[in-house]
Amino acid sequence: MSAAEKTVPTKAKKVSEIQQWDIETDVAIVGFGGAGSSAAIEAADAGVTVHIFEASSAAGGSTALSGGEVYLGGNGGTAMQRQFGFDDQSADMEKYLLMQHGPQSDEAKVAAYVDGGVAHFDWLVDKNIPFKQSFLDERVVEPMTDDCLIYSGNEKTWPEIEHCKPAPRAHVVQMAGMGAGKVLMQHLQKAVEDRGVNIHYDARALCLIIDEADSIVGIVVRIDGKELNVKAQGGVILCAGGFVMNEEMVKQYAPKLTRCNIPTGNPGDTGSGIQMGMSVGAAAINMHEGFASIPFYPPSTLTFGMIVTDKGQRFINEDAYHGRVGTALLEQNSERIYFIVDVDAYGDYEKLNFMNADVVATGDSIEELEQELKLPKSCLTHTMKLYNEFAEQGEDPMFHKQPAWLRPLEAPFVALDITPGRGAIFPYFTLGGLDTKIAGEVLKVDGTVIDGLYAAGRTSCGIPRRGSGYNSGISIGDATFFGRQAGIAAAARAKESQVSDTAA
Ligand SMILES: Cc1cc2nc3c(=O)[nH]c(=O)nc-3n(C[C@H](O)[C@H](O)[C@H](O)COP(=O)(O)OP(=O)(O)OC[C@H]3O[C@@H](n4cnc5c(N)ncnc54)[C@H](O)[C@@H]3O)c2cc1C
């Protein structure tokens, strides 16, 4: 092999370097997780040949490790939402998602996602994915039961509650306990297998192959130690997950996440899909953003507590989603951050440990707690006095914590150190990726499409764009929904090229 032909992982090869095609297909998909399986199902249903290449020995990726929560609604509600009386209007869901992700939002994608949400839920049900007919009205990260519908974000917190009618939108796949993503993936995998898709496990995609007109015409994959050239008539769909497991990339692009301590994903989240795209000029956007969480509930009673800086000052409504609180913690200019709660809400601090955070002080009065924490005199005492005065009336004029979670805090008190990097659990994953259109076409920095290249799931930058606006369920919702769009688009391109080949 000449030097020019040597494959450098993620660096694109020119078609002129390819001496033979080892596999020919209409659509080639990289990654067999939520996005890849959904793309494969749609492409196969469109009647084209599909090959899917998965680096590990089984399907699943992060989707199989996940909680199996899928964030869907709008159009008057999914069948599940309607059953429990939630007539979730598209305008509310759309406004909510746009508030969540702010100026980073892709408005066209959000509109398409909301518009197609009800049909997407039906599509999942059609793939025999089980959802129990139930609504769990509790503050949970994931249900420990096999229940379905939950509130999984900031729907009922300020400021969203003042602008968008809340509705529970996370549809959790039926399975008792946490981790229902594996049930979701089992059914998606079966749907892929049933359609005769060519599945290659232990098959790592190395790089894209590009022709003289800058169209993507295939990929190089490594199977059994051999490099194979795959020609993809309709295109290549990159569904290789995000980059949370690539320390160098996290340091380079999303350094604030390095203060978190639990990379949440699968070993394949190395950013190889994003890098393959970048090697052919794709724009990688929003790369600094990530989901960062301090999972302080359950027990939901901790929500009655208050979170303060080393100046004894609050900075957030503590009834917000754990990912918003986690993100806010990363943004504080404070040596320490403490979770202050009363024993009534905490329980026995000699025995119980939450978030893996150290109990760093206890006090029979707020003054005693303040002294033990070595905070500036009267700051915490003042914060607590003010908080309690308003809480007595069910109000929080500073941060608008909702009345359901307001009551005066009473001694004895417990203080937990939840400073990022000091031991408390901080799961995180990345939200940046390749810039794509609704149908998954990958864009260059100048906004033009890279012909023949598609991306979906965490390899792309989808609906979730800000840690402060993340909701559980939005990643799998986004990965499966836009994976499908990419599968449809690549299949259509394959068919077009078949027609033009015949005409020629
Ligand atoms: C513990 C946990 C809980 C979560 N809970 C939820 C939840 O309840 N709801 C929610 O919405 N989100 C949740 N998330 C996030 C969500 O699971 C992911 O963001 C989403 O599943 C990503 O889907 P994907 O298809 O993009 O990637 P994945 O499902 O990770 O699939 C990518 C696949 O690509 C493969 N791959 C990577 N590189 C290559 C290569 N070069 N060649 C071939 N194959 C390659 C990987 O091995 C992997 O199988 C959770 C994540 C975790 C880890």
Side-chain angles (χ1 to χ4, degrees):
M1 196 179 266
S2 72
E5 291 166 335
K6 199 166 181 295
T7 304
V8 180
T10 75
K11 182 167 176 271
K13 278 185 133 178
K14 295 201 174 70
V15 74
S16 56
E17 297 175 56
I18 305 300
Q19 281 156 6
Q20 63 169 49
W21 293 114
D22 301 295
I23 295 174
E24 298 201 23
T25 182
D26 288 318
V27 175
I29 299 172
V30 176
F32 196 174
S37 54
S38 303
I41 292 167
E42 287 290 8
D45 281 351
V48 302
T49 56
V50 183
H51 283 251
I52 188 162
F53 301 93
E54 167 54 51
S56 68
S57 305
S62 300
T63 310
L65 300 174
S66 78
E69 300 179 25
V70 193
Y71 199 84
L72 296 168
N75 275 314
T78 60
M80 188 68 71
Q81 288 177 308
R82 285 199 308 274
Q83 169 141 359
F84 295 96
F86 297 103
D87 65 332
D88 191 13
Q89 294 302 314
S90 296
D92 286 311
M93 181 172 174
E94 199 168 328
K95 195 167 187 187
Y96 174 79
L97 288 174
L98 293 174
M99 277 186 82
Q100 297 290 286
H101 303 291
Q104 282 124 294
S105 300
D106 181 328
E107 291 181 18
K109 270 188 192 164
V110 169
Y113 183 71
V114 171
D115 195 41
V118 168
H120 188 54
F121 179 68
D122 295 342
W123 185 87
L124 294 170
V125 170
D126 181 61
K127 304 298 163 291
N128 297 318
I129 295 166
F131 294 96
K132 184 178 169 182
Q133 305 275 322
S134 62
F135 165 50
L136 183 70
D137 194 9
E138 287 176 19
R139 185 160 157 83
V140 290
V141 174
E142 281 179 42
M144 294 307 290
T145 57
D146 64 351
D147 286 304
C148 178
L149 203 56
I150 57 168
Y151 286 98
S152 67
N154 292 300
E155 299 87 355
K156 293 200 286 185
T157 52
W158 186 89
E160 287 81 356
I161 190 148
E162 290 190 357
H163 300 275
C164 336
K165 187 176 170 195
R169 301 194 180 97
H171 296 67
V172 190
V173 174
Q174 185 171 7
M175 191 194 96
M178 295 169 80
K182 74 173 181 190
V183 177
L184 175 96
M185 259 325 293
Q186 279 160 4
H187 290 277
L188 289 178
Q189 180 179 348
K190 180 157 190 318
V192 172
E193 289 166 353
D194 287 350
R195 284 161 174 77
V197 168
N198 303 281
I199 302 169
H200 306 265
Y201 292 114
D202 300 307
R204 181 174 297 280
L206 297 179
C207 68
L208 295 165
I209 303 170
I210 190 164
D211 73 7
E212 300 76 16
D214 284 349
S215 293
I216 302 307
V217 291
I219 42 171
V220 180
V221 298
R222 191 195 295 128
I223 301 177
D224 288 336
K226 292 196 193 75
E227 287 183 14
L228 303 179
N229 300 317
V230 180
K231 184 177 184 185
Q233 195 81 6
V236 174
I237 310 178
L238 298 172
C239 301
F243 62 94
V244 71
M245 295 301 175
N246 185 328
E247 269 182 49
E248 285 307 310
M249 277 182 83
V250 172
K251 261 191 223 159
Q252 183 180 359
Y253 293 109
K256 76 174 173 190
L257 296 179
T258 58
R259 296 181 67 206
C260 303
N261 55 9
I262 303 192
T264 303
N266 75 91
D269 278 326
T270 58
S272 65
I274 296 172
Q275 289 181 339
M276 279 189 253
M278 289 168 81
S279 79
V280 293
I285 60 167
N286 212 37
M287 294 290 279
H288 64 294
E289 273 291 356
F291 161 86
S293 153
I294 177 83
F296 62 99
Y297 56 89
S300 57
T301 51
L302 287 196
T303 309
F304 288 116
M306 75 188 190
I307 303 176
V308 298
T309 63
D310 57 5
K311 287 108 193 147
Q313 288 172 347
R314 286 174 73 217
F315 51 88
I316 193 162
N317 40 344
E318 295 84 356
D319 57 345
Y321 174 68
H322 56 91
R324 175 172 289 175
V325 175
T327 303
L329 259 55
L330 291 182
E331 285 161 1
Q332 296 313 303
N333 180 17
S334 178
E335 287 286 311
R336 295 277 184 275
I337 299 174
Y338 300 112
F339 204 108
I340 312 286
V341 65
D342 56 19
V343 169
D344 247 12
Y346 189 94
D348 184 349
Y349 57 82
E350 301 279 358
K351 293 191 182 133
L352 293 169
N353 174 270
F354 299 118
M355 304 167 260
N356 203 38
D358 289 335
V359 173
V360 284
T362 56
D364 286 329
S365 68
I366 196 63
E367 291 81 2
E368 192 185 324
L369 196 79
E370 184 178 270
Q371 268 177 18
E372 211 169 307
L373 291 172
K374 299 192 174 55
L375 297 183
K377 194 170 178 318
S378 299
C379 288
L380 180 62
T381 307
H382 179 72
T383 300
M384 179 68 80
K385 188 170 171 289
L386 207 60
Y387 179 87
N388 279 351
E389 263 173 36
F390 283 110
E392 187 77 56
Q393 298 152 42
E395 288 172 19
D396 173 22
M398 264 79 74
F399 297 99
H400 311 281
K401 192 169 172 176
Q402 296 301 296
W405 298 108
L406 282 168
R407 64 157 175 73
L409 299 174
E410 284 168 17
F413 298 108
V414 180
L416 300 173
D417 185 347
I418 56 166
T419 315
R422 287 183 53 84
I425 295 170
F426 261 92
Y428 67 108
F429 55 79
T430 59
L431 294 178
L434 300 178
D435 195 8
T436 54
K437 293 175 73 169
I438 292 171
E441 302 103 319
V442 175
L443 297 169
K444 289 187 187 170
V445 179
D446 65 7
T448 58
V449 165
I450 301 177
D451 193 37
L453 187 62
Y454 303 83
R458 285 296 58 76
T459 301
S460 68
C461 189
I463 301 285
R465 299 210 164 191
R466 289 207 298 204
S468 60
Y470 191 86
N471 303 283
S472 293
I474 198 67
S475 292
I476 295 182
D478 166 86
T480 52
F481 182 85
F482 289 104
R484 290 178 58 201
Q485 315 312 315
I488 293 168
R493 187 170 176 276
K495 284 179 168 175
E496 272 168 34
S497 75
Q498 284 162 7
V499 171
S500 51
D501 282 355
T502 315

